[in-house]
């Protein structure tokens, strides 16, 4: 028997293990979760919960889907919920791509898109963003691909794409357009409420970022009823567990927590940006709860030096288009002060 390399599916043999840092109590500014801490309403729900663990949850999480429908002025049939928006990405590619179909992924954008495309038998077509990290609309339309995916606000650059460009792609691209709004709460101009306007729009959101419950793994998608019916039939039944579904419904009822979280980020973001510039970073405009910045010293020296001083940020410095760049979550005033102080130390130690 040939062993073991040839046993693995050819198209995914080069896959690497995903980001999984060993933690020693560091301040985490590397995953863009909510720095105000665990979602209060969900935490209360979990503390008070008395569940019958013997019964299956609703097959398609209809409780959460209808709560989301109410929040966004949509109908339950426009929504899908599951195990993180990562599951929504997986379901979308499973639903819409045939073996070998091409899918457009902007560069730079979310690392996991390429993973989900290839995992589902697709081929990734890279489309470089413009100098100011906006979409190259003609390049995407001309690609002839089956699916295009874009995060808006974009990760890791932080900016939203122009509304007009997204609308142009929706009308000119002959395929499915997925808009990943993982950071949508922090930005203006959501496409969530507009899914019935378009034949080919899928929007995704998550409870992992502004909602401060990444540990529960809840994400959702919206689309017109015809697209959603297709996705619903493909999604693994019961994939969202009952405890997480209940916690998410509880969290939706406390919109005040989301408003406070967003207000904190809007207040702190320009201050952190100014602090980074003062240290010699080149920062990029952000509509989300993180900032991408080009380091004044070697990116790896910076990220490792911060880690040694108890602060984690994310390194994008070895990748094309984000050369020597890092990404940090916008912290509270206290956390940002620590980040800036430690960064100054690392930079100083390089002189
Ligand atoms: C964090 C993130 C997600 C992940 O969402 P989960 O719901 O935790 O799976 C999806 N898309 C982007 C762009 C993200 O940054």
């Amino acid at each position: 028997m040939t062993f073991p390399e040839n046993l693995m599916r050819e198209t995914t043999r080069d896959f690497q293990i995903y980001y999984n840092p060993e933690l020693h109590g560091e301040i985490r500014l590397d995953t863009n979760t909510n720095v105000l801490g665990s979602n209060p309403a969900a935490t209360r729900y979990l503390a008070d919960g008395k569940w019958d663990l013997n019964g299956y949850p609703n097959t398609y999480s209809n409780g959460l889907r209808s709560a989301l429908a109410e929040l966004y002025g949509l109908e339950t049939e426009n929504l899908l919920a599951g195990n993180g928006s990562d599951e929504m990405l997986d379901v979308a590619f499973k639903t819409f791509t045939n073996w070998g179909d091409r899918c457009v992924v902007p560069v730079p954008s979310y690392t996991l898109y390429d993973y989900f495309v290839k995992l589902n038998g697709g081929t990734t077509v890279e489309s470089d963003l413009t100098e100011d990290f906006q979409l190259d609309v003609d390049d995407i339309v001309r690609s002839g691909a089956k699916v295009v995916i874009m995060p808006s606000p974009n990760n890791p650059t932080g900016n939203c794409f122009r509304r007009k460009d997204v609308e142009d792609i929706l009308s000119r691209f002959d395929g499915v357009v997925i808009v990943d709004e993982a950071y949508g709460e922090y930005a203006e101009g959501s496409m969530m409420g507009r899914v019935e306007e378009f034949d080919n729009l899928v929007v995704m959101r998550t409870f992992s970022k502004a909602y401060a419950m990444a540990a529960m793994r809840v994400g959702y998608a919206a689309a017109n009823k015809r697209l959603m019916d297709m996705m619903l039939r493909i999604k693994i039944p019961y994939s969202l567990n009952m405890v997480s579904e209940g916690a998410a419904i509880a969290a939706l009822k406390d919109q005040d927590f989301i408003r406070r979280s967003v207000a904190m980020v809007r207040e702190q973001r320009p201050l952190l940006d100014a602090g980074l510039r003062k240290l010699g970073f080149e920062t990029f405009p952000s509509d989300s709860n993180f900032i991408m910045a080009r380091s004044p010293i070697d990116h790896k020296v910076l990220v490792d030096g911060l880690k040694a001083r108890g602060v984690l940020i994310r390194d994008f410095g070895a990748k094309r288009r984000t050369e020597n760049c890092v990404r940090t979550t916008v912290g509270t005033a206290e956390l940002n002060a620590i980040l800036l102080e430690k960064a100054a130390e690392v930079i100083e130690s390089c002189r």
Side-chain angles (χ1 to χ4, degrees):
M1 178 172 152
T2 34
F3 197 83
E5 203 53 30
N6 294 355
L7 292 179
M8 197 169 168
R9 187 198 286 167
E10 278 173 38
T11 51
T12 46
R13 260 179 223 170
D14 62 345
F15 275 24
Q16 304 291 314
I17 294 287
Y18 193 58
Y19 184 69
N20 186 22
E22 211 178 294
L23 299 175
H24 305 281
E26 290 93 344
I27 293 171
R28 299 208 64 175
L29 298 174
D30 58 333
T31 55
N32 302 336
T33 51
N34 189 329
V35 292
L36 296 185
S38 189
N39 185 294
T43 304
R44 275 194 304 277
Y45 172 84
L46 293 174
D48 297 345
K50 287 188 184 60
W51 298 286
D52 172 12
L53 299 181
N54 186 34
Y56 276 90
N58 178 275
T59 317
Y60 295 107
S61 317
N62 284 354
L64 178 55
R65 290 168 71 210
S66 67
L68 288 165
E70 196 175 322
L71 180 68
Y72 290 107
L74 296 169
E75 292 179 52
T76 303
E77 294 77 18
N78 292 119
L79 288 142
L80 186 70
N83 201 243
S85 50
D86 287 345
E87 189 192 14
M88 299 297 97
L89 290 167
D90 193 41
V91 170
F93 289 111
K94 275 200 176 85
T95 306
F96 299 117
T97 55
N98 294 294
W99 205 258
D101 274 351
R102 291 140 46 81
C103 303
V104 178
V105 175
V107 176
S109 74
Y110 191 42
T111 357
L112 282 180
Y113 294 152
D114 177 61
Y115 163 83
F116 284 116
V117 169
K118 289 182 180 150
L119 196 60
N120 290 297
T123 309
T124 298
V125 180
E126 295 190 341
S127 175
D128 271 33
L129 297 177
T130 59
E131 200 59 34
D132 56 349
F133 297 128
Q134 290 294 325
L135 297 161
D136 185 340
V137 176
D138 289 332
D139 185 56
I140 291 170
V141 170
R142 274 198 311 260
S143 67
K146 181 76 183 295
V147 179
V148 55
I149 176 136
M150 57 189 81
S152 192
N154 188 26
N155 177 7
T157 61
N159 60 291
C160 279
F161 296 130
R162 280 181 222 108
R163 190 185 180 78
K164 166 92 170 55
D165 289 350
V166 176
E167 288 170 352
D168 276 358
I169 289 170
L170 279 163
S171 63
R172 292 172 55 201
F173 180 79
D174 190 19
V176 178
V177 178
I178 306 174
V179 180
D180 177 357
E181 295 187 351
Y183 304 96
E185 289 83 3
Y186 298 102
E188 312 284 342
S190 173
M191 299 298 284
M192 277 295 294
R194 302 183 63 192
V195 288
E196 282 292 351
E197 260 179 68
F198 302 97
D199 289 337
N200 54 348
L201 171 63
V202 178
V203 186
M204 292 176 183
R205 285 201 169 203
T206 179
F207 284 87
S208 297
K209 305 289 163 54
Y211 276 86
M213 42 190 293
M216 302 303 292
R217 309 298 304 126
V218 190
Y220 54 99
N224 68 55
K225 290 181 193 172
R226 277 157 60 211
L227 289 187
M228 199 42 88
D229 174 64
M230 299 172 197
M231 291 175 69
L232 196 64
R233 286 183 280 139
I234 296 307
K235 193 188 84 90
I236 300 173
Y238 315 115
S239 60
L240 179 57
N241 74 78
M242 182 178 69
V243 179
S244 293
E245 183 189 1
I249 294 169
L252 282 181
K253 291 183 187 130
D254 185 6
Q255 287 299 313
D256 192 51
F257 174 71
I258 306 302
R259 278 189 286 273
R260 269 193 291 129
S261 303
V262 172
M264 194 283 302
V265 165
R266 289 197 179 153
E267 185 184 297
Q268 290 301 320
R269 193 171 53 209
L271 304 175
L272 175 60
D273 188 287
L276 288 168
R277 281 178 179 272
K278 219 168 144 195
L279 293 177
F281 286 85
E282 177 195 357
T283 58
F284 298 92
S286 172
D287 301 302
S288 42
N289 67 333
F290 57 88
I291 294 178
M292 187 171 86
R294 186 161 276 130
S295 173
I297 59 169
D298 178 76
H299 58 100
K300 196 163 173 348
V301 172
L302 176 75
V303 172
D304 290 348
L306 283 172
K307 184 170 193 306
R309 289 166 176 78
V311 180
L312 295 185
I313 62 168
R314 200 72 159 259
D315 192 355
F316 289 88
K319 296 188 178 191
R320 199 166 65 76
R321 296 298 308 274
T322 55
E323 288 86 0
N324 220 36
C325 288
V326 297
R327 187 197 71 195
T328 178
T329 306
V330 176
T332 57
E334 294 74 23
L335 292 177
N336 294 336
I338 296 170
L339 169 67
L340 291 170
E341 182 198 318
K342 303 294 178 193
E345 273 179 41
V346 180
I347 293 165
E348 189 54 40
S349 72
C350 289
R351 298 211 196 282

